């Protein structure tokens, strides 16, 4: 943009999840004045195409309103902590226990935004940008109907329109977090993970396990309560003294046990598999669709389904592919047919 020494690139908002790229909103807010100057220059530039100049004029007119900058600053304050938690929930090792802890911290952060100092700071930023603030005296204050008031005292002055809208946004976001994560399924999944983690970190301490609260009989038909109790009691002594924080850590350690020793914990393995196969978010499946879009190009439009599936698996699980012995893989490939042996020789 012109008029400033440091050039700032304006980023585009994500077309599918527009609330998870707050860096774009942050850059617009930090260079708002220079952005206005650039829009004004482009609006008056006759070399710009007519329809584009009309859109630029509309953007410039909208940028002169204090409500526009106020809305951007509110989005930055609300979505920035949400984006940090969303990235954590979309990771491959996300768990129900971690998701509940993250959302609890996020709710506390969002509720803290109801403080008047937050809105006052946003309003002062808008005023510093020399934008017109709405005058509360121009709006008729809505009063509570007399039939709902049981006092003759005069009603207190209501908060400003902007402050009321920001409070509504905070309440809406808090309610949606509660609706999404305060579910019985999430609580049961977190309880299963807590049972495994506490058993792995305990040393011979007996736990009181309520099988009904874990809802295991509905998912694992051959699980036995007393056998599972015994295996959980022995788990901490079998897998070592390292502190375990996730079910994935426990699964990795159990997999390293001797096959005979591992056979003792058959019901525990079923519980581990149940915890690991339950997706906390749909981010992994969404990434597979994005991978498919990158692989299925115009140059690869005639590939078979088998080849496309293999390419997708290799792309998604590239960390496993990096550990494959390429020389051994090439020897298998060359030795498959005589033609390949004649073409590539002996490796």
């Amino acid at each position: 943009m012109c008029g400033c020494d440091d050039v700032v690139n304006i980023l585009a908002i994500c077309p599918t999840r527009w609330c998870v790229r707050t860096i774009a909103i942050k850059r617009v807010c930090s260079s708002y004045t220079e952005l206005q100057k650039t829009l004004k220059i482009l609006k008056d530039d006759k070399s710009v195409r007519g329809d584009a100049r009309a859109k630029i004029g509309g953007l410039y007119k909208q940028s002169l309103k204090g409500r526009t900058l106020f809305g951007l600053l509110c989005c930055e304050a609300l979505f920035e902590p949400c984006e940090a938690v969303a990235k954590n929930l979309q990771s491959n090792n996300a768990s129900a226990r971690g998701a509940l802890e993250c959302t609890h911290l996020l709710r506390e952060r969002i509720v803290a935004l109801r403080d008047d100092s937050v809105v006052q700071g946003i309003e002062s930023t808008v005023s510093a940008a020399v934008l017109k603030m709405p005058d509360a005296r121009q709006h008729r204050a809505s009063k509570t109907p007399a039939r709902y008031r049981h006092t003759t005292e005069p009603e207190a002055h209501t908060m400003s329109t902007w402050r009321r809208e920001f409070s509504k946004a905070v309440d809406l976001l808090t309610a949606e977090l509660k609706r999404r994560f305060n579910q019985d399924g999430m609580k049961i999944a977190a309880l299963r993970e807590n049972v495994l983690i506490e058993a792995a970190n305990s040393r011979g301490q007996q736990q009181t396990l309520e099988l009904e609260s874990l809802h295991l009989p509905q998912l694992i038909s051959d699980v036995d309560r007393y056998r599972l109790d015994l295996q959980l009691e022995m788990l901490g002594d079998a897998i070592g003294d390292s502190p375990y924080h996730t079910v994935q850590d426990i699964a990795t350690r159990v997999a390293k046990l001797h096959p005979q020793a591992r056979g003792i914990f058959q019901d525990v393995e079923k519980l581990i598999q149940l915890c690991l196969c339950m997706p906390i978010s749909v981010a992994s499946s969404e990434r597979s669709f994005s991978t498919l879009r990158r692989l299925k190009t115009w140059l690869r439009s005639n590939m078979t389904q088998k080849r496309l599936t293999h390419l997708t698996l290799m792309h998604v699980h590239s960390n496993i592919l990096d550990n494959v012995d390429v020389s051994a893989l090439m020897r298998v490939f060359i030795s498959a047919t005589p033609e390949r042996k004649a073409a590539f020789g002996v490796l």
Side-chain angles (χ1 to χ4, degrees), residues 55-115:
K55 292 180 181 179
I56 293 172
L59 290 175
Y60 175 71
K61 185 178 180 181
Q62 192 70 23
S63 68
L64 295 177
K65 299 179 181 179
R67 190 183 188 87
T68 301
L69 181 57
F70 181 83
L72 290 172
L73 292 172
C74 290
C75 290
E76 180 184 346
L78 292 172
F79 293 151
E80 192 168 19
C82 294
E83 182 179 357
V85 174
K87 288 182 178 179
N88 186 278
L89 295 180
Q90 292 174 8
S91 61
N92 294 328
N93 56 353
S95 62
R97 181 185 181 186
L100 291 180
E101 292 183 2
C102 289
T103 52
H104 176 69
L105 295 175
L106 178 59
R107 276 200 303 270
E108 291 183 347
R109 170 60 183 168
I110 297 301
V111 171
L113 294 177
R114 286 187 63 91
D115 192 272

Side-chain angles (χ1 to χ4, degrees), residues 236-259:
D237 296 325
I239 62 177
D241 298 332
S242 300
Y244 298 97
H245 303 286
T246 62
V247 179
Q248 183 64 49
D249 297 338
I250 301 174
T252 303
R253 186 64 185 87
V254 171
K256 295 179 180 179
L257 293 176
H258 190 275

Side-chain angles (χ1 to χ4, degrees), residues 265-320:
F265 302 99
Q266 294 182 359
D267 290 338
V268 170
E269 285 196 15
K270 293 177 183 178
L271 182 57
I272 291 175
Q273 292 173 0
L274 181 62
C275 293
L276 293 180
C277 72
M278 181 173 293
I280 303 303
S281 66
V282 296
S284 298
S285 58
E286 290 178 356
R287 279 194 288 266
S288 64
F289 285 107
S290 301
T291 300
L292 186 64
R293 184 177 58 185
R294 288 193 296 268
L295 293 177
K296 194 71 178 292
T297 62
W298 289 105
L299 298 177
R300 294 173 177 166
S301 59
N302 294 327
M303 74 173 70
T304 61
Q305 181 63 42
K306 183 177 180 180
R307 180 179 177 84
L308 179 61
T309 302
H310 291 168
L311 282 176
T312 305
L313 290 174
M314 291 168 61
H315 185 81
V316 172
H317 302 285
S318 58
N319 56 338
I320 300 177

Side-chain angles (χ1 to χ4, degrees), residues 169-181:
V170 170
D171 294 339
L172 177 61
L173 187 55
T174 306
E176 287 299 313
L177 287 173
K178 183 178 180 180
R179 181 189 66 83
R180 173 63 181 84
F181 292 97

Side-chain angles (χ1 to χ4, degrees), residues 117-167:
S117 60
V118 177
V119 184
Q120 290 175 0
I122 296 177
E123 290 179 347
S124 62
T125 303
V126 177
S127 301
V130 199
L131 295 174
K132 184 178 180 180
M133 300 281 290
D135 189 359
R137 293 173 296 181
Q138 295 178 358
H139 302 279
R140 182 173 178 267
S142 59
K143 297 182 179 180
T144 306
R147 64 179 180 273
Y148 295 136
R149 301 188 72 240
H150 303 285
T151 178
T152 57
E153 295 292 333
E155 190 169 7
H157 179 67
T158 57
M159 66 177 67
S160 66
T161 304
W162 286 6
R163 189 169 303 180
R164 184 167 58 250
E165 291 182 358
F166 183 74
S167 299

